[in-house]
Each structure stands twice: as structure tokens, then as C-alpha cells.
Amino acid sequence: MPTPDSSAAERPTRSRNRRGEGGRLRQDILDAATALIEREGGATNLSLRQLAREAGISAPSVYAHFTDLDDVVDTVLNGFFDQLRDAIAAANAAEADPVAALHAGCGAYTRFALDHPGRYRALFDRRPTGPDATPSRPVPVRTDVFQTLVDAVATCAAAGRSATTEPFADAAAIWAALHGAVLLRLSVPGFPWPDLPVFTEALVTRTGLITD
């Protein structure tokens, strides 16, 4: 029977980088953090020792490329935000009709969340990451991602397709509704939820004050 420390001992040790390959180590650390977040369903309990073990390196090696564990997690989260923003923007751009574009972008948001639950939870659930980590900093502010939704609502209003007079506030309402719907689906998967695209469209139509 393995001892409590045998799993760590059995994990393959990462081979030493050749000169000029420091960038590979940095990416290996980010890849290890991503794998842990996806496997654990978030970044809440991530520790420096756990990250180093996953990457097959010693814990001090992390400091050659990152200030601390929070710096690693912030970098990974910014990458997740980029993925989410790009998915929303691509969905918006694929539709010429402003209301269809709004619905498509919101659909891309919910699909990202449900297809990548660990990544999604990590974006909005930053807490202290464990005894080996420095105190957790706030989630990186990425208002550019939210701005895609504000712009989509404003475009609907400009086209006379939404009754909103406050695109920012109504975009925030849409986001809150979608976020709540996503978390409920992830937390209570056995509930007989309505079809996701239909449910998402209904939420967006009501909270975005879509007129037709």
C-alpha cells in the first residue's frame, strides 16, 4: 500500500531546461496551474507545493518566472478571460442582426461556463489559496469582457430593438441572470432545467428589455 508521500515521489520529475529554454518552464507552470484548476474545479485550494509537484519542479523554481502563487493564478485567469472574451466576440460578429448577436454572445458565455466549469468558477471565486500561498489578491479586473455585453445591449437600443435607457445597468442585470443560471446548473445538475439555449434567450430578452 502506498504511503501518504508516495504519490509525490512517483510523479515524474521534470527534465532540466537547456540554456535558453526558460520560457518553456514558465509555460509548464501555467499549464500545470490550468490542469489543477480544471481537475479541482477552481483555484480555491491551490498551493505552491501542489503546483510544483504537478509541474515536476521544486517549489522555489516558480519564483524564477513569477512573483508568487497569486501571480501564477492571475496570469492563468487572464488567459481564461481572454478565451471567454474571444468566444463572445466571435459569436457576436457572426450575426448581423443586433438582437441575434446579443443572444449569440450570451449563448457563448453560458457554453464556456458549462464546458469549462473549473475555469469558470476560478474566474469568480478567488479566495486565499492555502498555507503555502501569499494572501490572495482580488480577481483581475477585466471590464473589457463585460464591455462586450454592454456594447451589444447598446447596439440593440440604437437599432430600436431594446427599450433600455441604461445599457450598462441592463447589461449588468443580464450578466447576473446568466451567472446565476450557470452556477445553479453546475450546483444542481439533477434538476430538470429547461433547454439551455431557450432558457438563455428568455433571460436575455427579459432583462435586456428586447422589444421584438
Side-chain angles (χ1 to χ4, degrees):
M1 179 177 294
T3 64
D5 295 329
S6 63
S7 61
E10 291 168 3
R11 185 175 294 278
T13 302
R14 184 184 185 279
S15 60
R16 188 180 185 86
N17 280 337
R18 295 190 296 272
R19 186 183 299 275
E21 290 187 335
R24 193 185 81 180
L25 172 57
R26 184 179 190 278
Q27 188 57 52
D28 286 348
I29 293 169
L30 294 175
D31 290 344
T34 298
L36 286 169
I37 287 171
E38 291 181 330
R39 190 161 67 240
E40 301 297 326
T44 302
N45 298 315
L46 185 63
S47 72
L48 185 62
R49 279 198 294 264
Q50 185 184 23
L51 174 62
R53 186 166 61 248
E54 181 73 19
I57 60 176
S58 64
S61 298
V62 174
Y63 296 110
H65 297 277
F66 298 94
T67 304
D68 50 27
L69 179 60
D70 284 320
D71 188 23
V72 177
V73 175
D74 286 351
T75 302
V76 171
L77 292 190
N78 269 309
F80 294 169
F81 273 123
D82 287 343
Q83 294 167 10
L84 178 57
R85 179 201 58 207
D86 292 348
I88 294 170
N92 283 342
E95 299 289 346
D97 179 81
V99 173
L102 173 62
H103 285 311
C106 291
Y109 179 95
T110 57
R111 284 194 302 275
F112 178 90
L114 296 179
D115 289 346
H116 307 286
R119 297 185 184 201
Y120 184 80
R121 288 185 188 277
L123 289 177
F124 305 110
D125 191 24
R126 284 297 303 277
R127 301 176 187 175
T129 47
D132 297 329
T134 56
S136 181
R137 293 187 287 269
V139 174
V141 176
R142 289 295 302 271
T143 54
D144 59 309
V145 184
F146 177 62
Q147 190 62 43
T148 62
L149 179 55
V150 177
D151 292 344
V153 173
T155 300
C156 288
R161 306 287 298 282
S162 169
T164 183
T165 57
E166 298 182 67
F168 185 94
D170 289 323
I174 292 173
W175 180 27
L178 295 179
H179 182 66
V182 164
L183 290 185
L184 281 170
R185 282 177 179 265
L186 292 175
S187 300
V188 194
F191 186 82
W193 296 106
D195 178 72
L196 181 61
V198 174
F199 189 58
T200 299
E201 184 170 328
L203 285 176
V204 174
T205 297
R206 293 167 187 165
T207 51
L209 305 180
I210 302 302
T211 54
D212 61 7

